[in-house]
Amino acid sequence: MTPTGAEASLLKTIVDALLKPFAVISTPLAERIASWFKRKPKLYANFHPGTCLWCLGQYGEQPLMQVMFTVDLTHDDPREALIIVDAHPDGTQSKIRFDKFVIPPHQLKESRVTAFVQPVAGEKGKDWTGHIIFVDQFRRPYKTQKTTFKGVG
């Protein structure tokens, strides 16, 4: 015996009401698990020639490395924007607040980046070649290709 339209509607309402507490728990759990398995987007960086510079500074009593460059950035995530919250040469850590910026999906973002880091990775008066590490809002690191920074002081 098959239920009629009114009986089927009533049956669906009862089943939905009984399963709702499970959906309240399982839906956020499923979303969290899906985010763990989500693919990290690829970040593409194109450094502008002639804008990659580094120099020495002071942070209290200790020497500080200042890295400056202009870069075009894009990524391959079709839905989610990346927020870059930190940038520093590989092997160093930022010591002064970084001005974060957003890279929307399907767009190229030109950014002027200045990072103040320790320890100093280069030798005074010499060019420094290395990778820049960009960090997004989920603390995921992105390593760029090697780039040469002209020592200016």
Side-chain angles (χ1 to χ4, degrees), residues 24-73:
V24 168
I25 295 169
S26 65
T27 301
L29 185 61
E31 289 173 355
R32 176 67 57 100
I33 291 170
S35 73
W36 290 340
F37 293 108
K38 185 175 152 189
R39 182 185 72 86
K40 176 179 148 182
K42 290 183 182 177
L43 182 69
Y44 301 95
N46 180 42
F47 293 90
H48 293 207
T51 66
C52 298
L53 308 169
W54 83 273
C55 63
L56 286 176
Q58 285 293 120
Y59 183 68
E61 296 291 319
Q62 300 179 13
L64 185 74
M65 180 178 190
Q66 180 180 356
V67 181
M68 302 150 287
F69 55 90
T70 302
V71 65
D72 293 325
L73 294 166

Side-chain angles (χ1 to χ4, degrees), residues 76-87:
D76 65 355
D77 191 323
R79 291 173 282 152
E80 191 170 41
L82 285 183
I83 302 170
I84 301 300
V85 297
D86 194 15

Side-chain angles (χ1 to χ4, degrees), residues 82-122:
L82 285 183
I83 302 170
I84 301 300
V85 297
D86 194 15
H88 55 85
D90 195 16
T92 66
Q93 291 183 336
S94 293
K95 291 297 177 184
I96 297 178
R97 188 180 71 81
F98 179 79
D99 291 329
K100 60 185 172 243
F101 57 90
V102 178
I103 308 169
H106 305 293
Q107 291 186 24
L108 184 72
K109 172 74 174 182
E110 180 180 318
S111 293
R112 178 77 181 148
V113 176
T114 302
F116 299 91
V117 300
Q118 283 181 333
V120 175

